[in-house]
Amino acid sequence: MELKITDLTKQFKEVAAVDGVSCTMTGGVYGLLGANGAGKTTLMRMLCTLNTPTSGQITWDGQDIFSMAEAYRRILGYLPQDFGYYPDFTVEDYMLYIASIKGLRPVVAKRRTAELIRQVGLDKASGRKMKKLSGGMKRRAGIAQAMLNDPQILILDEPTAGLDPTERIRFRNLISELSEERIVLLSTHIVSDVEYIAKEILLMKDGRFICRGTADELIASMPERVWSLTVPKKEAEGYLRRYKVSNVKAVPNGAQLRILSAEPPAGMQSAQLQEATLEDVFLYHFGERSGDGNGEV
Amino acid sequence: MVKYEIKKVFARRGGVIALLIMLVLTVYTCWFATNSSSEWVNENGDTETGYHAMVKKREAQRAWSGILDEEKIRRVIEENLRITSTPEYNSKDVRLSNIAFGWGQGIHEIRGLLNHYFAVDFQTSDYYRANSLTPDMAGEFYPNRIRLLKEFLADEANGSYYRFSDAEKDWMIRQYEALKTPFYVDYMQGWDNVLTYYPTVSMILIMVLGYLMAGIFSNEFQWKSDSIFFSSAHGRNSAIRAKLAAGFLIVTAVYWAAILVYSLTVLGYLGFYGASCPLQASGRWKSFYNLTNAQAYLIVILGGYIGCVFIAFLTMLISACSRSTVLGVMTPVLIIFLPNFIQNLSFDAVIIDKILALLPARLLELNMELVYFDLFDFGGFVTGALPVAIALYVILSAALPPVIYREYRRKEIM
Ligand SMILES: Nc1ncnc2c1ncn2[C@@H]1O[C@H](COP(=O)(O)OP(=O)(O)OP(=O)(O)O)[C@@H](O)[C@H]1O
Ligand SMILES: [Mg+2]
């Protein structure tokens, strides 16, 4: 079980959406972390044989996935970022149809559909039309369809986008549950989605992997340290301009800042050294905080 | 797979509504096709309508059924003369002349044939021509049709002399001579009407079918379900074939269901009488296709089926290439209106006619082609346009699915 990407590039006219990326994946969860436009979707679509690389190679156990074609797609499960479905199909029909185009035999399709609908908690909604499901339920149906063929490679493109905090936690647990004995590649721009469940995190920026490793390795490799200090409200502005600030919190005597800096912030002896988190690493690399406001769960 | 592809089409409310609309329009056409021939003028000169009126007329005409030989023709001419010389017939009183018309209802259709076969020339039709015939002219009935054609083809003034090649002229005359005479006549209003109103049904059908077919390929993109579709094991092969199969099955099932409803209703109501009478024993007397009514109708509905299959595949191709359901829905509409557009081109009329005869729209109204003088001369081998059009679209219909298949799977999915 080895999915190997070698020097992979995808050029869209002027933009190199994916730019000379290499990586080898064996079992476990891989977190693809990047800001908007980093190239996550483009990379994943190539892994799903939907787009062809401009150059470079993707192999599965040494074989080119594009020449494997159907044989490769048999072991693939994909939840796209723009999850599209058949609006007038019931959840059950939807699952059975996807099972059929995935080449499952009808008996197996029925069994897997029932199992997965239960596993993702859609039992009560299985007779409802897809278009009548809530956003979270749709995502669950989406992940269920990806799992139908018990794929060895499961690709999830921002599966948690737009979900509320509780739903997001449920999802994270579900993914973690599903990750046994397969490769799960999960893209997100929310650190907490992958912080605890990913075996390896790939930080992607402008089409390249700028940094990779376990959460601890990424934190250890960050050259800056994290300081916490409280400043009067009117000075906070100045710090925000000079430093990378990962958090601002209003406190009674001013503002408490969380600052990334190799040295203690100038003139502030009171600054306390903090333990860095993956969130700080994200800020360090992308110059912005991760997430979409629901990040801190 | 095919089952779910079909389900995709009819799970939409629009799919079901389209079928209902089609059903309503088909029933309406049936009503039209039967009602128009359900009039009977009774002995008081009053017009009765409805089923019983139709049956009375049918019985009156069936009394004259049989081999239309010289003897029968003579009797029809005599009967017609008897009626036209009555005071009622010549009366200025509307009621009286209606009563006289009523007497002639039994021979009305054969009298119509006399008008045609004894026409002064091929292109003139005169409703009163039968009234000027005498019984001793009965023997000229069948030879007249051939004579009229020959005169028409030899006439330099009307242009037909130049319009057809010598081989084509020969072929037409031979076709005319090959018609078995004397032929059998019977009440055949059922076949006449079912042929006449067929294009209404086929037009309704193709619009509805186009609507149903248009989304099969393009909706994957509009629903954004394409990523999952194309990244599935069968997404680039048998899942696409399932779409083609679903389209074909829907066209086939919907077409034949509608045609069956239409044909059985109209023929069931008016009667199947006259199935084995030649096409030429009716207003379609000029046709050079020597077919019986039933044969002609079978060819018309088969041709229409092939036309529907072709247009449906074309719709699928357009929507697969353009990813636009709207363009797909518009395809049949454009195909239907294309002939009108071409007709308006100021171009050599003969070429235009030959083009029109081979456009897919014509397949939906082959009942017209039965009486058109469209011919093809393939280096001395002459044939009417009808078999050429059918053969052409059988081939094209068979050629389209592989094209759609390749077009749809080849795409880098953006
Ligand atoms: N089909 C395309 N044609 C042209 N450019 C494209 C196409 N798809 C993506 N791009 C460009 O490639 C770059 C990477 O896009 P991509 O969608 O892969 O990023 P992403 O990391 O998935 O972003 P997001 O977090 O917003 O989903 C962007 O600059 C985008 O504009
Ligand atoms: Mg993306």
Side-chain angles (χ1 to χ4, degrees):
Chain A
M1 192 161 71
E2 186 197 65
L3 185 61
K4 189 170 182 193
I5 301 171
T6 319
D7 213 9
L8 195 67
T9 297
K10 180 69 183 182
Q11 188 81 32
F12 287 122
K13 293 197 185 86
E14 274 97 73
V15 206
V18 171
D19 192 2
V21 158
S22 295
C23 151
T24 302
M25 288 180 256
T26 53
V29 178
Y30 291 79
L32 188 57
L33 197 56
N36 290 130
K40 306 184 291 293
T41 299
T42 308
L43 173 61
M44 291 180 140
R45 288 177 64 84
M46 285 192 281
L47 286 170
C48 293
T49 70
L50 292 170
N51 288 144
T52 45
T54 310
S55 67
Q57 233 199 351
I58 308 170
T59 58
W60 171 253
D61 287 344
Q63 271 186 286
D64 182 80
I65 64 165
F66 292 94
S67 47
M68 281 177 77
E70 186 181 328
Y72 173 75
R73 288 191 284 270
R74 269 185 194 284
I75 54 156
L76 179 73
Y78 176 41
L79 173 62
Q81 180 172 7
D82 264 337
F83 170 53
Y85 47 88
Y86 307 103
D88 292 297
F89 269 11
T90 62
V91 176
E92 193 179 5
D93 277 346
Y94 174 71
M95 292 285 285
L96 288 171
Y97 172 65
I98 300 293
S100 75
I101 62 174
K102 284 188 174 209
L104 271 65
R105 281 180 298 118
V107 212
V108 183
K110 281 230 167 63
R111 201 189 63 227
R112 285 292 289 162
T113 296
E115 275 170 18
L116 283 163
I117 285 183
R118 198 168 346 102
Q119 194 171 2
V120 300
L122 283 175
D123 337 33
K124 292 208 184 69
S126 73
R128 250 202 271 171
K129 284 197 171 188
M130 290 292 287
K131 64 181 177 193
K132 304 232 164 110
L133 301 183
S134 74
M137 290 162 111
K138 278 176 196 157
R139 286 294 156 124
R140 278 188 261 156
I143 220 168
Q145 67 74 27
M147 286 298 296
L148 271 167
N149 52 334
D150 195 12
Q152 289 187 270
I153 304 166
L154 181 59
I155 294 183
L156 307 171
D157 198 353
E158 304 206 17
T160 60
L163 298 183
D164 67 33
T166 359
E167 192 76 52
R168 173 167 286 142
I169 294 173
R170 288 189 43 135
F171 234 88
R172 210 181 290 155
N173 295 338
L174 184 61
I175 291 163
S176 166
E177 216 174 284
L178 298 174
S179 69
E180 275 163 43
E181 291 175 45
R182 71 183 99 243
I183 296 171
V184 179
L185 180 62
L186 184 158
S187 81
T188 181
H189 46 113
I190 298 159
V191 169
S192 60
D193 279 347
V194 289
E195 193 164 10
Y196 303 107
I197 59 169
K199 162 175 146 181
E200 187 172 345
I201 293 168
L202 305 157
L203 282 189
M204 196 170 186
K205 188 178 184 181
D206 299 334
R208 296 168 195 263
F209 291 159
I210 47 171
C211 198
R212 61 206 286 183
T214 62
D216 290 338
E217 283 167 2
L218 290 185
I219 292 166
S221 72
M222 183 172 70
E224 306 209 45
R225 286 180 292 174
V226 182
W227 307 87
S228 169
L229 69 164
T230 305
V231 296
K233 273 223 169 64
K234 58 180 185 333
E235 290 176 29
E237 191 65 16
Y239 282 95
L240 283 171
R241 238 180 292 118
R242 273 179 289 146
Y243 294 99
K244 286 177 171 167
V245 178
S246 84
N247 204 1
V248 187
K249 199 160 109 189
V251 288
N253 51 342
Q256 191 182 39
L257 305 179
R258 189 177 168 89
I259 286 178
L260 299 193
S261 169
E263 300 302 320
M268 288 305 296
Q269 310 316 332
S270 66
Q272 285 177 353
L273 197 57
Q274 299 282 311
E275 202 171 319
T277 65
L278 200 56
E279 195 67 48
D280 299 316
V281 177
F282 191 92
L283 173 75
Y284 170 73
H285 287 293
F286 296 106
E288 57 178 280
R289 295 189 51 234
S290 90
D292 52 6
N294 290 329
E296 306 105 301
V297 223
Chain B
M1 264 187 281
V2 179
K3 179 179 111 188
Y4 290 105
E5 279 305 337
I6 294 174
K7 215 166 181 176
K8 275 188 207 168
V9 173
F10 294 110
R12 285 182 297 153
R13 195 176 311 150
V16 179
I17 291 176
L19 280 190
L20 286 178
I21 291 176
M22 192 194 70
L23 188 69
V24 169
L25 290 177
T26 305
V27 168
Y28 183 67
T29 310
C30 290
W31 181 81
F32 226 32
T34 51
N35 197 52
S36 63
S37 302
S38 301
E39 288 192 348
W40 170 254
V41 179
N42 64 20
E43 56 283 1
N44 302 321
D46 297 322
T47 302
E48 297 174 12
T49 56
Y51 184 73
H52 292 290
M54 184 277 293
V55 172
K56 280 182 198 162
K57 180 150 100 189
R58 188 167 74 193
E59 270 160 16
Q61 292 187 357
R62 292 219 69 212
W64 287 88
S65 67
I67 303 283
L68 187 65
D69 53 11
E70 201 176 325
E71 169 59 22
K72 191 185 280 290
I73 295 167
R74 183 190 310 277
R75 274 173 44 221
V76 173
I77 295 174
E78 283 166 358
E79 173 70 0
N80 185 53
L81 288 178
R82 187 187 65 74
I83 295 169
T84 53
S85 57
T86 57
E88 285 88 343
Y89 183 88
N90 297 299
S91 164
K92 290 264 181 324
D93 183 337
V94 178
R95 169 166 298 269
L96 291 180
S97 71
N98 278 350
I99 290 172
F101 174 84
W103 297 333
Q105 287 173 106
I107 57 162
H108 188 263
E109 295 304 314
I110 301 176
R111 187 188 171 278
L113 284 182
L114 298 180
N115 287 336
H116 295 315
Y117 281 58
F118 286 103
V120 287
D121 66 60
F122 207 52
Q123 286 166 302
T124 306
S125 104
D126 176 7
Y127 181 81
Y128 298 102
R129 175 69 183 128
N131 299 358
S132 57
L133 300 177
T134 54
D136 56 306
M137 291 165 82
E140 297 164 31
F141 181 80
Y142 292 109
N144 253 346
R145 178 169 170 269
I146 300 166
R147 181 181 54 82
L148 286 171
L149 174 72
K150 284 181 177 164
E151 284 172 8
F152 170 71
L153 294 178
D155 184 1
E156 298 191 26
N158 69 22
S160 52
Y161 176 82
Y162 302 102
R163 185 179 162 160
F164 303 104
S165 71
D166 286 342
E168 288 173 340
K169 288 179 194 166
D170 277 354
W171 184 82
M172 280 190 274
I173 292 166
R174 265 184 284 122
Q175 286 295 105
Y176 265 49
E177 287 169 346
L179 177 67
K180 271 218 210 54
T181 59
F183 48 62
Y184 189 86
V185 289
D186 199 340
Y187 174 84
M188 46 189 263
Q189 198 71 57
W191 294 102
D192 191 1
N193 288 14
V194 89
L195 273 169
T196 304
Y197 290 92
Y198 169 81
T200 318
V201 181
S202 67
M203 295 297 153
I204 298 165
L205 264 168
I206 198 58
M207 295 296 168
V208 168
L209 287 172
Y211 175 78
L212 295 176
M213 297 298 111
I216 292 182
F217 287 91
S218 53
N219 279 348
E220 297 291 341
F221 301 107
Q222 305 203 333
W223 287 330
K224 296 188 173 159
S225 46
D226 54 324
S227 308
I228 292 175
F229 181 87
F230 287 110
S231 62
S232 71
H234 293 321
R236 305 268 173 106
N237 41 54
S238 58
I240 302 176
R241 288 199 291 273
K243 283 181 180 296
L244 289 166
F248 180 72
L249 287 177
I250 293 172
V251 173
T252 305
V254 171
Y255 179 86
W256 289 111
I259 292 301
L260 214 63
V261 167
Y262 166 72
S263 310
L264 290 183
T265 310
V266 175
L267 287 170
Y269 183 92
L270 294 172
F272 288 79
Y273 310 103
S276 57
C277 293
L279 212 49
Q280 289 79 1
S282 70
R284 298 187 173 79
W285 69 286
K286 281 185 194 171
S287 175
F288 51 59
Y289 298 102
N290 295 329
L291 300 165
T292 66
N293 281 312
Q295 286 168 341
Y297 186 59
L298 208 67
I299 288 173
V300 167
I301 58 180
L302 262 173
Y305 171 62
I306 292 158
C308 283
V309 169
F310 173 78
I311 295 171
F313 279 140
L314 193 66
T315 302
M316 289 188 240
L317 179 66
I318 303 271
S319 88
C321 293
S322 66
R323 301 179 173 200
S324 156
T325 309
V326 177
L327 278 184
V329 172
M330 275 166 52
T331 307
V333 182
L334 291 179
I335 286 194
I336 302 297
F337 284 102
L338 185 65
N340 291 334
F341 173 74
I342 291 184
Q343 250 160 350
N344 291 336
L345 296 175
S346 51
F347 217 86
D348 178 22
V350 181
I351 306 248
I352 295 248
D353 282 348
K354 285 190 202 275
I355 293 172
L356 289 174
L358 294 184
L359 287 179
R362 184 58 61 82
L363 280 177
L364 301 179
E365 44 177 27
L366 281 185
N367 62 320
M368 315 286 264
E369 194 58 51
L370 285 171
V371 294
Y372 286 162
F373 277 27
D374 295 321
L375 296 132
F376 287 91
D377 181 350
F378 302 106
F381 175 78
V382 179
T383 169
L386 206 146
V388 178
I390 289 182
L392 177 66
Y393 284 98
V394 166
I395 294 168
L396 288 179
S397 301
L400 273 182
V403 177
I404 301 170
Y405 178 71
R406 234 172 307 154
E407 186 57 36
Y408 200 59
R409 77 190 298 231
R410 187 180 60 190
K411 289 239 157 74
E412 185 174 22
I413 321 297
M414 290 299 189

